[in-house]
Amino acid sequence: MPEEQERIEYLIKQKKTFSPSKGFRDNAIVRDESIYKRAKRSPEAFWESFAKELHWYRKWKRVLDWKLPHSKWFVGGKMNVSYNCIDRHIDSPRRNKAAIIWEGELGETSILTYWDLYREVNKFANVLKDLGIEKGDRVTIYLPMIPELPIAMLACARIGAPHNVVFGGFSAESLTSRINDSKSTLLITADGGYRKGSVVALKKNADEALTDTPTIRNVVVVKRVGDKESVSMKKGRDLWWHDLMKYAPPYCDPEKMDSEDLLYILYTSGTTGKPKGIVHTTGGFLTGVYATFKLVFDIREEDTYWCTADIGWVTGHSYVVYGPLANGATTLMYEGAPKYPDIGRFWSIVEKYGVTVFYTAPTAIRSYMRWGDEYLNKYNLSTLRLLGSVGEPINPEAWMWYYVNIGKKRCPIVDTWWQTETGMILITPLPGVTKLKPGSATFPFPGIDVDVVDENGKSIKEGTGYLVIKNPWPAMLRTIYGDPKRYVEEYWSRFPNMYFTGDWANKDKDGYLWILGRVDDVMNVAGHRISTMEVESALVDHHSVAEAAVIGKSDELKGQSIVAFTSLKEGIKSDSKLLDELKQHVVKKIGAIARPDSIIFTVELPKTRSGKIMRRLLRDIAEGRVLGDTTTLADPEVVKQLKDKYGHKEM
Ligand code: WT7
C-alpha cells in the first residue's frame, strides 16, 4: 500500500491523463468526438433524435420554445413517463429482465422484473385514484430506500399526479414545510426504515409533521420494519399499503400528459432559509435523463448498474429511477449505510450482483479510502467496467484511489457535474472518447453551452470564474413551485441572459473544467446541499441564542463541515450541555444531515460597518488561514477574540 500510495502521488504530480482503452472505445456507444460537432450545429435536432427513441401518444409540434428564461420542450407532444419506463419494455424481450434489484440493509434481496414493476405500478396507480388523487394533485412521499418508493413515484407519473419526494433523513418540521408548500393531499410513508442497523421511526416523524398540514387527507403506510416499531394508525386517515394493494385492479390506463405537465417537485436548499421547490416537467426531463444516462454510462443491455444515491435526492430521481428505467436497464437500489454491517458492504454488493457500472459520491470514496483495503480485497470487483462520481468536487487523490483500487486501472471514471435544478448531467466525460484528468469534470455534454465568466459576465479563456450556462437544455427546471419571481431572481439575474449555477470553476489551457464549489451561502456537506441560512434560522429559533453565523469549513472527508458561530442571549451560560442541546435543536428543525460539527460561542459576531456578518472572515478563522482584509470591520477586537477562542476548538 505505501508503494501504491507513492505511485498515486507521483501520477498526480505528473498531471497524468487517462485515455479510454481501445477495447472500451471500440465497444462504446459514442466512439468519436463528432457528436460534439453534430450537437453544436443544432442542439434542437440533437435532442429531438433522443425524444424520437421514446414513446409519444402525439408528436411535438416544435422541439423548443425559448423565451428566456422560460423554456418549453417538445411543445404539443403528449407522453407518459411511466409508460416509457415500463410498458415500452414489457412488449419486448426485456419483459422478464430485472428492472430493479433491491438489497435491504439486513441482507434481503428482492428482484422486480419489468413485468413485476408493471403489475405493482398499475395496482398502486389504481390505489391512488381510489383515494381520490387526480391529475395535477401533489403527493408527498417520505419513504426509505425500498421498492415501494420507485413504485409510488411511477404510479404518480402514471396518473399525472406530481410527486414530492422528501428524503427520509429530514425531520418532521422539514416534512411539514414541504407538504404545505406543495399543498399535497396525500402522504406515502412507512412504519420505519433501517439505517446502520437501527430503525428510523418514519411514521412517528410523519405523525408529528401532520399536526400542522391542513391539506393532507390520507396517509398510506408501508410496513417495512413490522414489530420493531409500533405505529399508531389514525382512523379514517391512515391506511396500510398492503391492505390497499390486495384488491387493487391490475391495470390502470396511463394518463396522456402534455410534454410540459409537471412530473415532480423536489425541494432543495438555496441562499435563503426557505427551501425551493424545483419544478420538473414531463417530456424534456425524460428525454434529458434518457439521453445522458445512455451516453454517459454507456449503457448496454446486460449491464447491472448501481447508483448509491438515495432516491430522496435528485441523483436518485434521475439516475436510480427515471434514466435507467427509460433505457430498460437494470438498476440496483441499496437500502442502507456503506459500513453496515462492516466496511466491505459496497464491495460485497458489487460482487453479489456482478455490478458493471457503479456511480457514487466522492465522500463515500474518501471514506473507503480511509478504511483501507483489507475488506476491499475480500471481494471480486472484476465485473466493473465503468465508474462514476457525483455531488461534489473529487480531489485527484480520491480519483486516483478510485481508479486504481476499485477500477483496477481498467475502468474510465465519469465525474459528472449537475444540480437539482439542471435535472440531468451537464458536464461530464464521455467514457469512450474523453481523455481524463483526475479531478476534472472535463467538458460540457454535447449540446450544452457552458462557460466560465468574470464578475461582468465576460467569458474567461483560461482561469477561474463563475460557472454559467448559456443555452436551454431539456431537463432544466421550469420554475420554483409557487414562486416564479424567485426563479428569475435566483438563476437569471446575476448575469444577463445566462443561467447562473452558483458554482465557480476553473478552465485550464486545454479547456478542461475544474469545478471548485459554491460561491454562494450554500454548503456541500458529504454531497448534501445545506444552506447556511437554514442552519442559522434553526439556531436562532432556540431560546438561548441571540445570533448565529454558519459557515462550511473545508473537510478532508466530507468536503465541508458545518461550523456555527453563536452569540447567546444576556445571562445565558455557555456550557457543553447547551452545546449538545443546540446541535440537537438543529437536528430537530432540519434533520441529522444539518447537525453542526462544531459550535463556537462568541460574545459578538464580526460585522461590517453596515451590519453584515462577515462570513468570509469566519471561514478564514475556522480554517486557520491568515486573515484577509478586515478594514470594513466594525469592531476588530471581535475577530481577535474569536481567533483566540477557536484555538480551543468548540466553545
Ligand atoms: C451542487 C448541486 C447533482 C446531483 C447531486 C447534487 C455540486 C455536483 C459535482 C461535481 C463538483 C459538484 C455543485 C453543484 N456538484 N456535482 N461532479 N463536481 N461539484 O445536487 O444537491 O442540487 O447540488 O453540487 O456545487 O452546484 P445538488
Side-chain angles (χ1 to χ4, degrees), residues 553 598-600 645-651:
K553 175 190 173 184
S598 38
I599 293 180
I600 296 125
K645 207 161 192 175
Y646 202 65
H648 308 285
K649 284 200 117 174
E650 284 194 316
M651 292 207 310

Side-chain angles (χ1 to χ4, degrees), residues 205-457:
N205 283 352
D207 285 336
E208 210 183 307
L210 291 170
T211 54
D212 193 16
T213 53
T215 51
I216 292 287
R217 291 195 309 254
N218 287 112
V219 182
V220 175
V221 187
V222 178
K223 195 176 245 169
R224 167 65 185 127
V225 297
D227 300 340
K228 297 203 180 95
E229 177 71 29
S230 67
V231 296
S232 64
M233 299 289 278
K234 190 168 165 188
K235 241 187 136 173
R237 185 194 71 181
D238 301 355
L239 304 150
W240 286 107
W241 172 291
H242 57 265
D243 285 341
L244 296 167
M245 287 291 265
K246 222 178 280 170
Y247 304 106
Y251 181 74
C252 171
D253 232 354
E255 193 72 38
K256 295 183 175 66
M257 302 296 285
D258 190 274
S259 181
E260 281 300 325
D261 277 338
L262 239 72
L263 177 62
Y264 71 84
I265 306 168
L266 182 63
Y267 286 83
T268 189
S269 293
T271 46
T272 70
K274 193 171 170 269
K276 311 176 272 196
I278 302 302
V279 169
H280 284 293
T281 56
T282 301
F285 174 80
L286 198 69
T287 303
V289 298
Y290 169 77
T292 47
F293 181 76
K294 182 173 176 174
L295 302 195
V296 174
F297 298 107
D298 183 46
I299 215 70
R300 298 193 204 144
E301 205 55 65
E302 67 276 18
D303 273 320
T304 301
Y305 161 86
W306 180 22
C307 166
T308 67
D310 193 293
I311 292 174
W313 307 104
V314 75
T315 310
H317 281 60
S318 297
Y319 299 110
V320 177
V321 182
Y322 291 120
L325 297 177
N327 276 277
T330 297
T331 178
L332 195 152
M333 318 169 43
Y334 167 53
E335 180 187 31
K339 56 175 176 183
Y340 187 82
D342 60 47
I343 53 176
R345 187 59 183 269
F346 273 13
W347 319 124
S348 85
I349 293 174
V350 169
E351 179 183 275
K352 182 170 171 188
Y353 301 101
V355 172
T356 55
V357 180
F358 179 70
Y359 189 32
T360 196
T363 296
I365 297 165
R366 288 192 294 262
S367 299
Y368 277 108
M369 196 170 151
R370 182 174 286 189
W371 296 335
D373 49 13
E374 184 198 337
Y375 276 81
L376 185 66
N377 290 340
K378 282 194 195 165
Y379 300 101
N380 181 351
L381 306 182
S382 64
T383 51
L384 290 170
R385 66 178 191 89
L386 178 59
L387 303 174
S389 172
V390 63
E392 40 174 333
I394 180 165
N395 47 312
E397 295 75 13
W399 195 102
M400 282 303 304
W401 183 87
Y402 197 29
Y403 187 76
V404 172
N405 293 281
I406 306 302
K408 315 286 182 200
K409 303 178 195 159
R410 277 183 295 107
C411 310
I413 296 178
V414 285
D415 174 6
T416 61
W417 176 94
W418 57 296
Q419 309 177 300
T420 307
E421 291 87 341
T422 71
M424 63 189 239
I425 293 168
L426 292 190
I427 304 177
T428 178
L430 291 179
V433 172
T434 312
K435 197 202 286 177
L436 305 171
K437 294 188 183 186
S440 166
T442 72
F443 305 109
F445 189 81
I448 308 294
D449 190 4
V450 169
D451 205 358
V452 177
V453 299
D454 68 14
E455 225 25 76
N456 305 314

Side-chain angles (χ1 to χ4, degrees), residues 352-579:
K352 182 170 171 188
Y353 301 101
V355 172
T356 55
V357 180
F358 179 70
Y359 189 32
T360 196
T363 296
I365 297 165
R366 288 192 294 262
S367 299
Y368 277 108
M369 196 170 151
R370 182 174 286 189
W371 296 335
D373 49 13
E374 184 198 337
Y375 276 81
L376 185 66
N377 290 340
K378 282 194 195 165
Y379 300 101
N380 181 351
L381 306 182
S382 64
T383 51
L384 290 170
R385 66 178 191 89
L386 178 59
L387 303 174
S389 172
V390 63
E392 40 174 333
I394 180 165
N395 47 312
E397 295 75 13
W399 195 102
M400 282 303 304
W401 183 87
Y402 197 29
Y403 187 76
V404 172
N405 293 281
I406 306 302
K408 315 286 182 200
K409 303 178 195 159
R410 277 183 295 107
C411 310
I413 296 178
V414 285
D415 174 6
T416 61
W417 176 94
W418 57 296
Q419 309 177 300
T420 307
E421 291 87 341
T422 71
M424 63 189 239
I425 293 168
L426 292 190
I427 304 177
T428 178
L430 291 179
V433 172
T434 312
K435 197 202 286 177
L436 305 171
K437 294 188 183 186
S440 166
T442 72
F443 305 109
F445 189 81
I448 308 294
D449 190 4
V450 169
D451 205 358
V452 177
V453 299
D454 68 14
E455 225 25 76
N456 305 314
K458 222 182 117 238
S459 181
I460 292 174
K461 260 219 163 75
E462 191 188 328
T464 300
Y466 302 96
L467 186 70
V468 297
I469 305 158
K470 292 178 158 172
N471 68 345
W473 62 100
M476 70 189 281
L477 79 162
R478 298 302 193 259
T479 188
I480 292 175
Y481 193 75
D483 201 349
K485 248 178 68 198
R486 193 170 170 201
Y487 166 70
V488 180
E489 283 159 13
E490 289 250 349
Y491 305 107
W492 301 91
S493 301
R494 178 70 183 77
F495 302 105
N497 305 336
M498 297 177 212
Y499 170 89
F500 179 42
T501 61
D503 281 353
W504 53 308
N506 184 279
K507 199 183 322 165
D508 74 13
K509 63 176 192 324
D510 306 318
Y512 280 70
L513 295 164
W514 302 74
I515 315 296
L516 301 169
R518 306 285 309 191
V519 287
D520 50 15
D521 294 327
V522 174
M523 299 176 284
N524 191 329
V525 181
H528 297 149
R529 181 160 157 187
I530 301 165
S531 133
T532 53
M533 298 274 274
E534 242 176 300
V535 182
E536 285 166 9
S537 323
L539 283 166
V540 294
D541 178 76
H542 191 276
H543 55 82
S544 311
V545 175
E547 269 192 311
V550 169
I551 56 130
K553 175 190 173 184
S554 306
D555 183 278
E556 247 185 55
L557 201 61
K558 299 194 283 187
Q560 284 187 315
S561 66
I562 304 176
V563 179
F565 293 86
T566 310
S567 67
L568 299 175
K569 286 189 181 146
E570 250 341 282
I572 306 267
K573 227 179 93 227
S574 59
D575 56 18
S576 61
K577 201 173 138 264
L578 178 61
L579 193 125

